[in-house]
Protein backbone atom coordinates (compact mmCIF):
# COMPACT_ATOMS: atom_id res chain seq x y z
CA UNK A 1 0.00 0.00 0.00
CA UNK A 2 1.30 3.46 -0.89
CA UNK A 3 1.66 5.68 2.15
CA UNK A 4 2.90 8.87 0.47
CA UNK A 5 0.62 11.80 -0.17
CA UNK A 6 0.33 12.60 -3.88
CA UNK A 7 1.10 16.19 -4.81
CA UNK A 8 -1.74 17.76 -6.80
CA UNK A 9 -1.04 21.07 -8.52
CA UNK A 10 -4.74 21.62 -9.13
CA UNK A 11 -5.56 21.29 -5.43
CA UNK A 12 -2.65 23.44 -4.29
CA UNK A 13 -3.62 26.18 -6.75
CA UNK A 14 -7.25 26.07 -5.58
CA UNK A 15 -8.48 25.13 -9.06
CA UNK A 16 -10.09 21.85 -7.94
CA UNK A 17 -11.09 20.69 -4.47
CA UNK A 18 -12.92 17.51 -5.45
CA UNK A 19 -10.36 15.33 -3.65
CA UNK A 20 -11.14 16.88 -0.29
CA UNK A 21 -8.62 14.84 1.71
CA UNK A 22 -5.78 14.49 -0.80
CA UNK A 23 -3.38 16.22 1.58
CA UNK A 24 -4.18 13.65 4.29
CA UNK A 25 -1.94 10.53 4.22
CA UNK A 26 -3.83 7.60 2.75
CA UNK A 27 -3.34 5.48 5.88
CA UNK A 28 -5.02 8.18 7.94
CA UNK A 29 -7.86 8.42 5.40
CA UNK A 30 -8.45 4.67 5.71
CA UNK A 31 -8.46 4.86 9.48
CA UNK A 32 -11.03 7.66 9.49
CA UNK A 33 -13.33 5.78 7.12
CA UNK A 34 -13.28 2.62 9.16
CA UNK A 35 -13.81 4.57 12.40
CA UNK A 36 -16.82 6.29 10.84
CA UNK A 37 -18.35 2.98 9.81
CA UNK A 38 -17.72 1.44 13.21
CA UNK A 39 -19.48 4.39 14.85
CA UNK A 40 -22.46 4.28 12.47
CA UNK A 41 -22.79 0.48 12.61
CA UNK A 42 -22.50 -0.49 16.29
CA UNK A 43 -24.34 -3.77 15.65
CA UNK A 44 -21.21 -5.16 13.97
CA UNK A 45 -19.22 -7.06 16.61
CA UNK A 46 -15.72 -5.72 17.13
CA UNK A 47 -14.20 -9.02 16.03
CA UNK A 48 -16.39 -9.00 12.93
CA UNK A 49 -14.61 -6.12 11.19
CA UNK A 50 -12.35 -7.46 8.46
CA UNK A 51 -9.31 -5.41 7.37
CA UNK A 52 -10.18 -2.42 5.21
CA UNK A 53 -9.44 -2.71 1.49
CA UNK A 54 -7.41 0.24 0.20
CA UNK A 55 -8.07 1.80 -3.18
CA UNK A 56 -4.67 3.33 -3.90
CA UNK A 57 -3.73 6.99 -3.91
CA UNK A 58 -3.47 7.64 -7.67
CA UNK A 59 -4.27 6.03 -11.05
CA UNK A 60 -7.36 4.32 -9.64
CA UNK A 61 -10.42 5.88 -11.25
CA UNK A 62 -11.69 3.95 -14.29
CA UNK A 63 -14.24 6.55 -15.37
CA UNK A 64 -13.86 10.26 -16.01
CA UNK A 65 -16.94 12.49 -16.29
CA UNK A 66 -15.42 15.57 -17.90
CA UNK A 67 -17.29 18.85 -18.19
CA UNK A 68 -16.63 20.61 -21.48
CA UNK A 69 -15.81 24.29 -20.88
CA UNK A 70 -13.81 27.03 -22.50
CA UNK A 71 -14.76 28.25 -25.97
CA UNK A 72 -15.29 26.83 -29.45
CA UNK A 73 -11.89 25.80 -30.76
CA UNK A 74 -10.31 26.04 -27.30
CA UNK A 75 -12.19 23.66 -25.04
CA UNK A 76 -11.33 22.68 -21.49
CA UNK A 77 -12.05 19.19 -20.13
CA UNK A 78 -12.49 18.91 -16.39
CA UNK A 79 -14.91 20.68 -14.08
CA UNK A 80 -16.69 24.00 -13.80
CA UNK A 81 -15.35 26.66 -11.46
CA UNK A 82 -17.56 28.66 -9.06
CA UNK A 83 -18.09 31.26 -11.81
CA UNK A 84 -19.30 28.63 -14.28
CA UNK A 85 -16.10 28.77 -16.35
CA UNK A 86 -14.33 25.57 -17.37
CA UNK A 87 -11.33 24.34 -15.37
CA UNK A 88 -9.08 22.04 -17.40
CA UNK A 89 -8.02 18.92 -15.46
CA UNK A 90 -6.51 16.76 -18.18
CA UNK A 91 -3.54 15.79 -15.97
CA UNK A 92 -5.62 14.71 -12.94
CA UNK A 93 -3.67 11.95 -11.19
CA UNK A 94 -6.64 9.98 -9.86
CA UNK A 95 -7.64 8.94 -13.40
CA UNK A 96 -6.23 5.72 -14.80
CA UNK A 97 -3.26 6.43 -17.09
CA UNK A 98 -5.21 5.32 -20.17
CA UNK A 99 -7.75 8.06 -19.48
CA UNK A 100 -5.13 10.76 -18.91
CA UNK A 101 -3.42 9.78 -22.14
CA UNK A 102 -6.54 10.19 -24.26
CA UNK A 103 -7.88 13.51 -22.90
CA UNK A 104 -5.55 15.80 -24.93
CA UNK A 105 -6.45 13.93 -28.11
CA UNK A 106 -10.16 14.30 -27.39
CA UNK A 107 -9.70 18.02 -26.72
CA UNK A 108 -8.02 18.52 -30.08
CA UNK A 109 -10.79 16.66 -31.87
CA UNK A 110 -13.51 18.66 -30.12
CA UNK A 111 -11.68 21.87 -31.03
CA UNK A 112 -11.78 20.79 -34.67
CA UNK A 113 -15.57 20.33 -34.61
CA UNK A 114 -16.06 24.04 -33.92
CA UNK A 115 -18.86 23.20 -31.50
CA UNK A 116 -19.32 25.62 -28.61
CA UNK A 117 -19.12 24.28 -25.05
CA UNK A 118 -22.32 24.65 -23.08
CA UNK A 119 -22.31 27.66 -20.75
CA UNK A 120 -24.32 27.05 -17.58
CA UNK A 121 -24.63 30.76 -16.65
CA UNK A 122 -25.72 31.75 -20.18
CA UNK A 123 -27.69 28.54 -20.87
CA UNK A 124 -26.19 28.43 -24.35
CA UNK A 125 -23.83 26.13 -26.24
CA UNK A 126 -23.71 22.56 -27.52
CA UNK A 127 -21.01 20.38 -25.88
CA UNK A 128 -21.79 19.36 -22.30
CA UNK A 129 -19.68 16.40 -21.20
CA UNK A 130 -17.25 13.74 -22.32
CA UNK A 131 -17.39 10.45 -20.40
CA UNK A 132 -14.37 8.15 -20.71
CA UNK A 133 -14.33 4.63 -19.23
CA UNK A 134 -11.19 2.46 -19.25
CA UNK A 135 -11.16 -1.34 -19.16
CA UNK A 136 -8.22 -3.33 -17.73
CA UNK A 137 -7.30 -4.27 -21.30
CA UNK A 138 -6.71 -0.61 -22.17
CA UNK A 139 -9.83 -0.38 -24.35
CA UNK A 140 -11.99 2.71 -23.87
CA UNK A 141 -15.61 3.75 -24.01
CA UNK A 142 -16.13 7.34 -25.21
CA UNK A 143 -19.43 9.16 -24.74
CA UNK A 144 -20.09 12.70 -25.92
CA UNK A 145 -23.03 14.49 -24.31
CA UNK A 146 -24.48 17.20 -26.55
CA UNK A 147 -27.65 19.28 -26.68
CA UNK A 148 -28.93 18.75 -30.22
CA UNK A 149 -28.87 16.93 -33.53
CA UNK A 150 -26.25 19.43 -34.70
CA UNK A 151 -23.77 18.16 -32.12
CA UNK A 152 -24.59 14.57 -32.99
CA UNK A 153 -24.14 15.12 -36.73
CA UNK A 154 -20.79 16.93 -36.36
CA UNK A 155 -19.33 14.21 -34.16
CA UNK A 156 -20.73 11.51 -36.40
CA UNK A 157 -19.11 13.21 -39.41
CA UNK A 158 -15.72 12.92 -37.68
CA UNK A 159 -16.10 9.27 -36.67
CA UNK A 160 -13.29 8.08 -38.95
CA UNK A 161 -10.98 10.77 -37.58
CA UNK A 162 -12.03 9.91 -34.05
CA UNK A 163 -11.28 6.22 -34.56
CA UNK A 164 -7.87 7.07 -36.00
CA UNK A 165 -7.16 9.50 -33.15
CA UNK A 166 -8.28 7.06 -30.43
CA UNK A 167 -7.68 3.53 -31.74
CA UNK A 168 -8.21 2.22 -28.19
CA UNK A 169 -11.91 3.11 -28.41
CA UNK A 170 -14.10 0.00 -28.43
CA UNK A 171 -17.33 1.96 -27.94
CA UNK A 172 -18.18 5.47 -29.13
CA UNK A 173 -21.58 7.04 -28.59
CA UNK A 174 -23.33 10.39 -28.46
CA UNK A 175 -25.88 11.16 -25.76
CA UNK A 176 -28.45 13.92 -26.24
CA UNK A 177 -29.36 16.12 -23.26
CA UNK A 178 -31.23 19.16 -24.62
CA UNK A 179 -32.68 20.32 -21.29
CA UNK A 180 -31.10 22.96 -19.04
CA UNK A 181 -30.78 20.56 -16.10
CA UNK A 182 -27.99 19.44 -13.78
CA UNK A 183 -27.76 15.91 -15.18
CA UNK A 184 -24.80 14.03 -16.60
CA UNK A 185 -26.71 12.44 -19.48
CA UNK A 186 -30.06 12.27 -21.22
CA UNK A 187 -32.23 9.32 -22.16
CA UNK A 188 -31.32 9.10 -25.84
CA UNK A 189 -28.04 7.38 -26.73
CA UNK A 190 -26.78 7.02 -30.31
CA UNK A 191 -24.13 4.34 -30.80
CA UNK A 192 -21.47 5.19 -33.39
CA UNK A 193 -19.10 2.28 -32.74
CA UNK A 194 -19.45 -1.01 -30.88
CA UNK A 195 -22.02 -1.78 -28.24
CA UNK A 196 -20.27 -2.66 -24.97
CA UNK A 197 -16.95 -2.38 -23.15
CA UNK A 198 -15.54 -5.56 -21.63
CA UNK A 199 -14.40 -5.24 -18.00
CA UNK A 200 -12.28 -8.25 -17.08
CA UNK A 201 -12.66 -9.33 -13.46
CA UNK A 202 -10.85 -12.62 -12.98
CA UNK A 203 -12.77 -15.46 -14.62
CA UNK A 204 -15.75 -13.20 -15.38
CA UNK A 205 -15.93 -10.36 -17.86
CA UNK A 206 -18.73 -7.84 -17.49
CA UNK A 207 -20.11 -6.09 -20.56
CA UNK A 208 -20.78 -2.38 -19.98
CA UNK A 209 -23.11 -0.53 -22.30
CA UNK A 210 -22.90 3.26 -22.50
CA UNK A 211 -25.48 3.89 -19.76
CA UNK A 212 -24.48 0.98 -17.51
CA UNK A 213 -23.34 1.45 -13.91
CA UNK A 214 -20.02 0.01 -12.78
CA UNK A 215 -17.86 0.63 -9.75
CA UNK A 216 -15.34 3.43 -10.37
CA UNK A 217 -12.32 1.55 -8.97
CA UNK A 218 -11.68 -1.72 -10.83
CA UNK A 219 -9.17 -3.17 -8.36
CA UNK A 220 -11.49 -2.53 -5.40
CA UNK A 221 -14.46 -3.90 -7.35
CA UNK A 222 -12.56 -7.18 -7.73
CA UNK A 223 -12.01 -7.28 -3.96
CA UNK A 224 -15.66 -6.45 -3.32
CA UNK A 225 -16.93 -9.30 -5.49
CA UNK A 226 -14.26 -11.59 -4.06
CA UNK A 227 -15.40 -10.96 -0.49
CA UNK A 228 -19.01 -11.63 -1.39
CA UNK A 229 -17.95 -14.88 -3.07
CA UNK A 230 -16.09 -16.02 0.05
CA UNK A 231 -19.14 -15.33 2.21
CA UNK A 232 -21.35 -17.23 -0.21
CA UNK A 233 -18.95 -20.19 -0.19
CA UNK A 234 -19.08 -20.23 3.60
CA UNK A 235 -22.86 -20.82 3.59
CA UNK A 236 -23.00 -22.67 0.25
CA UNK A 237 -26.63 -21.67 -0.41
CA UNK A 238 -28.66 -23.63 -2.95
CA UNK A 239 -30.17 -20.40 -4.28
CA UNK A 240 -29.31 -16.68 -4.40
CA UNK A 241 -31.18 -13.53 -5.36
CA UNK A 242 -29.01 -10.58 -6.37
CA UNK A 243 -31.28 -7.53 -6.05
CA UNK A 244 -30.20 -4.29 -7.75
CA UNK A 245 -27.81 -6.50 -9.71
CA UNK A 246 -26.80 -3.93 -12.37
CA UNK A 247 -24.76 -5.70 -15.05
CA UNK A 248 -24.59 -8.77 -12.83
CA UNK A 249 -21.33 -8.40 -10.92
CA UNK A 250 -22.29 -10.14 -7.67
CA UNK A 251 -24.57 -12.70 -9.32
CA UNK A 252 -21.94 -13.75 -11.84
CA UNK A 253 -19.17 -13.86 -9.23
CA UNK A 254 -21.23 -16.15 -6.98
CA UNK A 255 -22.89 -18.36 -9.61
CA UNK A 256 -21.75 -21.87 -10.54
CA UNK A 257 -19.55 -22.40 -13.59
CA UNK A 258 -20.37 -24.95 -16.24
CA UNK A 259 -16.89 -26.49 -16.08
CA UNK A 260 -16.00 -28.68 -13.06
CA UNK A 261 -12.45 -27.33 -13.31
CA UNK A 262 -13.44 -23.69 -12.99
CA UNK A 263 -13.20 -23.62 -9.19
CA UNK A 264 -16.89 -23.07 -8.53
CA UNK A 265 -16.69 -24.88 -5.21
CA UNK A 266 -18.70 -27.75 -3.75
CA UNK A 267 -21.17 -30.08 -5.46
CA UNK A 268 -24.09 -28.11 -4.04
CA UNK A 269 -22.45 -24.91 -5.31
CA UNK A 270 -22.36 -26.39 -8.79
CA UNK A 271 -26.16 -26.76 -8.59
CA UNK A 272 -26.72 -23.32 -7.12
CA UNK A 273 -29.57 -21.30 -8.64
CA UNK A 274 -28.78 -17.61 -9.09
CA UNK A 275 -31.27 -14.92 -10.06
CA UNK A 276 -30.36 -11.27 -10.69
CA UNK A 277 -32.99 -8.52 -10.59
CA UNK A 278 -32.35 -5.12 -12.12
CA UNK A 279 -34.67 -2.33 -13.30
CA UNK A 280 -32.61 -1.53 -16.42
CA UNK A 281 -33.40 -3.88 -19.31
CA UNK A 282 -30.11 -2.89 -20.99
CA UNK A 283 -28.16 -3.89 -17.87
CA UNK A 284 -30.01 -7.22 -17.77
CA UNK A 285 -29.10 -7.85 -21.42
CA UNK A 286 -25.45 -7.16 -20.57
CA UNK A 287 -25.58 -9.56 -17.60
CA UNK A 288 -27.12 -12.28 -19.76
CA UNK A 289 -24.39 -11.86 -22.36
CA UNK A 290 -21.68 -12.08 -19.70
CA UNK A 291 -23.25 -15.26 -18.34
CA UNK A 292 -23.36 -16.84 -21.80
CA UNK A 293 -19.77 -15.89 -22.59
CA UNK A 294 -18.47 -17.35 -19.32
CA UNK A 295 -20.66 -20.46 -19.36
CA UNK A 296 -22.30 -19.36 -16.12
CA UNK A 297 -25.71 -20.68 -15.12
CA UNK A 298 -27.56 -17.59 -13.92
CA UNK A 299 -30.93 -16.04 -14.71
CA UNK A 300 -31.74 -12.32 -14.88
CA UNK A 301 -35.00 -10.40 -14.97
CA UNK A 302 -35.75 -6.73 -15.57
CA UNK A 303 -37.85 -5.54 -12.63
CA UNK A 304 -37.89 -3.21 -9.66
CA UNK A 305 -36.14 -5.00 -6.80
CA UNK A 306 -38.74 -4.17 -4.15
CA UNK A 307 -41.71 -4.92 -6.39
CA UNK A 308 -40.15 -8.21 -7.44
CA UNK A 309 -39.57 -9.35 -3.86
CA UNK A 310 -43.02 -8.31 -2.67
CA UNK A 311 -44.70 -10.01 -5.62
CA UNK A 312 -42.59 -13.15 -5.76
CA UNK A 313 -45.40 -15.55 -4.90
CA UNK A 314 -44.39 -17.83 -7.75
CA UNK A 315 -40.70 -17.82 -6.83
CA UNK A 316 -39.26 -20.09 -4.18
CA UNK A 317 -37.51 -17.95 -1.56
CA UNK A 318 -33.72 -18.06 -1.85
CA UNK A 319 -31.32 -19.18 0.85
CA UNK A 320 -29.27 -15.99 0.46
CA UNK A 321 -30.08 -12.48 -0.80
CA UNK A 322 -27.51 -9.96 -2.01
CA UNK A 323 -28.56 -6.31 -2.12
CA UNK A 324 -26.51 -3.50 -3.65
CA UNK A 325 -28.88 -0.51 -3.67
CA UNK A 326 -28.25 3.12 -4.63
CA UNK A 327 -27.33 5.65 -1.94
CA UNK A 328 -30.86 5.84 -0.56
CA UNK A 329 -30.66 2.19 0.59
CA UNK A 330 -33.22 -0.59 0.24
CA UNK A 331 -35.97 1.35 2.00
CA UNK A 332 -38.68 0.42 4.46
CA UNK A 333 -40.73 -1.87 2.21
CA UNK A 334 -37.93 -4.18 1.15
CA UNK A 335 -36.43 -4.16 4.64
CA UNK A 336 -39.80 -5.20 6.10
CA UNK A 337 -40.15 -7.96 3.51
CA UNK A 338 -36.68 -9.30 4.23
CA UNK A 339 -37.16 -9.13 7.98
CA UNK A 340 -40.45 -11.03 7.77
CA UNK A 341 -39.11 -13.62 5.36
CA UNK A 342 -37.41 -16.92 6.04
CA UNK A 343 -34.30 -15.99 4.04
CA UNK A 344 -31.41 -17.28 6.20
CA UNK A 345 -28.61 -14.95 5.04
CA UNK A 346 -28.17 -11.50 3.50
CA UNK A 347 -25.14 -9.73 2.02
CA UNK A 348 -25.67 -5.97 1.91
CA UNK A 349 -23.24 -3.80 -0.08
CA UNK A 350 -23.68 -0.08 0.48
CA UNK A 351 -22.10 3.14 -0.75
CA UNK A 352 -23.76 5.07 2.09
CA UNK A 353 -23.20 3.90 5.67
CA UNK A 354 -25.92 6.26 6.93
CA UNK A 355 -28.67 4.60 4.86
CA UNK A 356 -27.17 1.20 5.67
CA UNK A 357 -27.48 1.99 9.38
CA UNK A 358 -31.16 2.90 8.92
CA UNK A 359 -31.84 -0.28 6.98
CA UNK A 360 -30.05 -2.48 9.52
CA UNK A 361 -32.21 -0.96 12.28
CA UNK A 362 -35.23 -2.09 10.23
CA UNK A 363 -33.89 -5.67 10.12
CA UNK A 364 -34.03 -6.77 13.78
CA UNK A 365 -34.57 -10.36 12.67
CA UNK A 366 -30.97 -10.52 11.51
CA UNK A 367 -27.66 -10.25 13.30
CA UNK A 368 -24.52 -8.81 11.70
CA UNK A 369 -21.72 -11.37 11.53
CA UNK A 370 -18.98 -9.54 9.65
CA UNK A 371 -18.34 -6.27 7.85
CA UNK A 372 -15.67 -4.82 5.61
CA UNK A 373 -14.92 -1.32 4.34
CA UNK A 374 -13.71 -0.82 0.77
CA UNK A 375 -12.01 2.46 -0.16
CA UNK A 376 -13.67 2.78 -3.54
CA UNK A 377 -13.22 6.57 -3.55
CA UNK A 378 -9.81 7.60 -2.12
CA UNK A 379 -9.25 11.22 -1.09
CA UNK A 380 -13.00 11.74 -0.48
CA UNK A 381 -15.41 10.94 2.33
CA UNK A 382 -17.18 8.34 0.19
CA UNK A 383 -16.71 4.60 0.61
CA UNK A 384 -18.26 1.19 0.12
CA UNK A 385 -19.09 -1.01 3.08
CA UNK A 386 -20.43 -4.56 2.96
CA UNK A 387 -21.99 -6.57 5.77
CA UNK A 388 -22.93 -10.21 6.19
CA UNK A 389 -26.20 -10.91 8.01
CA UNK A 390 -27.56 -14.13 9.46
CA UNK A 391 -31.09 -14.81 10.60
CA UNK A 392 -31.22 -14.41 14.37
CA UNK A 393 -32.80 -17.16 16.41
CA UNK A 394 -36.53 -16.59 16.55
CA UNK A 395 -37.91 -16.20 20.06
Amino acid sequence: MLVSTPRCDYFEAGRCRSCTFIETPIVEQLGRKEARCRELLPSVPAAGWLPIVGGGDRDFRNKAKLVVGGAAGAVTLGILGPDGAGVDLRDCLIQEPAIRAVIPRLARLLDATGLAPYSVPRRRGELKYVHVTAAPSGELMLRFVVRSEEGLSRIRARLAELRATVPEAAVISVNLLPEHVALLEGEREELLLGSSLTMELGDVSLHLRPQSFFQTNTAVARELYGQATRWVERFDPASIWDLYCGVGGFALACAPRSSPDSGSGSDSGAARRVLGVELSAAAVASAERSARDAGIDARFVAADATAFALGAANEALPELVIVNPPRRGIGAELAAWLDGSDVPSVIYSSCNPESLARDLAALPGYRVCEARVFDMFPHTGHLEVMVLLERAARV
Side-chain angles (χ1 to χ4, degrees):
M1 178 189 298
L2 293 174
V3 296
S4 61
T5 302
R7 182 177 180 274
C8 178
D9 293 336
Y10 298 123
F11 189 92
E12 292 178 3
R15 297 173 65 195
C16 176
R17 294 282 171 161
S18 299
C19 293
T20 312
F21 303 115
I22 197 168
E23 294 185 320
T24 302
I26 198 71
V27 172
E28 186 176 340
Q29 292 183 40
L30 295 176
R32 290 179 180 179
K33 289 184 176 184
E34 182 164 332
R36 176 184 166 210
C37 287
R38 285 177 180 252
E39 181 179 358
L40 287 169
L41 307 172
S43 60
V44 181
W49 284 100
L50 301 178
I52 189 170
V53 175
D57 67 353
R58 67 192 77 196
D59 300 334
F60 55 81
R61 192 172 178 89
N62 61 32
K63 184 172 184 178
K65 301 175 182 179
L66 305 166
V67 180
V68 185
V75 303
T76 61
L77 293 176
I79 61 173
L80 292 182
D83 58 354
V87 178
D88 198 274
L89 299 178
R90 64 186 66 192
D91 294 320
C92 174
L93 293 177
I94 69 170
Q95 313 292 358
E96 289 191 8
I99 295 177
R100 288 204 302 275
V102 80
I103 293 176
R105 287 178 272 160
L106 293 175
R108 289 194 296 271
L109 187 136
L110 291 177
D111 286 344
T113 67
L115 291 169
Y118 179 71
S119 169
V120 174
R122 298 170 62 195
R123 297 165 69 90
R124 293 173 55 186
E126 181 64 35
L127 293 167
K128 286 194 166 184
Y129 302 97
V130 178
H131 298 181
V132 185
T133 304
S137 64
E139 289 189 329
L140 302 174
M141 178 189 293
L142 309 179
R143 302 177 63 212
F144 301 90
V145 183
V146 301
R147 289 196 60 219
S148 72
E149 296 285 345
E150 174 68 14
L152 169 60
S153 63
R154 289 209 207 177
I155 293 174
R156 192 195 299 274
R158 291 183 173 271
L159 179 58
E161 179 185 351
L162 180 54
R163 295 184 66 179
T165 301
V166 189
E168 311 97 306
V171 181
I172 301 173
S173 68
V174 176
N175 180 277
L176 278 83
L177 178 59
E179 297 86 2
H180 301 285
V181 291
L183 296 175
L184 290 171
E185 60 184 35
E187 294 183 3
R188 180 182 167 193
E189 193 89 20
E190 294 286 336
L191 279 166
L192 304 186
L193 174 69
S195 62
S196 63
L197 183 70
T198 303
M199 302 293 289
E200 302 89 354
L201 300 172
D203 64 343
V204 176
S205 293
L206 302 180
H207 296 282
L208 305 186
R209 298 190 180 195
Q211 293 179 299
S212 297
F213 167 80
F214 183 69
Q215 303 285 3
T216 60
N217 190 317
T218 305
V220 177
R222 288 195 186 100
E223 295 292 334
L224 186 73
Y225 297 143
Q227 183 61 61
T229 301
R230 288 189 291 276
W231 281 339
V232 166
E233 289 174 348
R234 180 186 305 177
F235 291 106
D236 195 15
S239 55
I240 296 174
W241 285 2
D242 178 9
L243 304 181
Y244 309 95
C245 73
V247 294
F250 284 111
L252 294 168
C254 299
R257 275 51 171 165
S258 59
S259 168
D261 299 324
S262 61
S264 60
S266 65
D267 292 339
S268 58
R272 183 177 300 137
R273 301 183 306 279
V274 176
L275 172 65
V277 180
E278 167 58 42
L279 187 61
S280 167
V284 166
S286 295
E288 290 174 334
R289 178 183 172 187
S290 298
R292 287 194 303 270
D293 288 354
I296 292 176
D297 186 11
R299 184 164 68 95
F300 297 90
V301 298
D304 174 79
T306 300
F308 177 86
L310 270 58
N314 296 325
E315 294 277 353
L317 287 184
E319 293 185 3
L320 186 144
V321 168
I322 301 172
V323 291
N324 182 28
R327 288 189 60 80
R328 65 178 181 272
I330 64 174
E333 279 192 291
L334 184 53
W337 177 86
L338 267 175
D339 198 59
S341 75
D342 290 321
V343 174
S345 307
V346 176
I347 295 174
Y348 190 138
S349 183
S350 170
C351 62
N352 183 359
E354 282 82 5
S355 63
L356 173 60
R358 290 195 300 270
D359 288 339
L360 290 181
L363 294 168
Y366 289 90
R367 65 181 183 87
V368 185
C369 302
E370 290 182 341
R372 195 168 199 181
V373 179
F374 300 81
D375 191 19
M376 194 74 70
F377 314 96
H379 309 316
T380 75
H382 301 295
L383 55 88
E384 192 86 13
V385 57
M386 190 161 63
V387 296
L388 174 64
L389 309 175
E390 276 190 295
R391 172 66 64 183
R394 295 187 187 274
V395 180

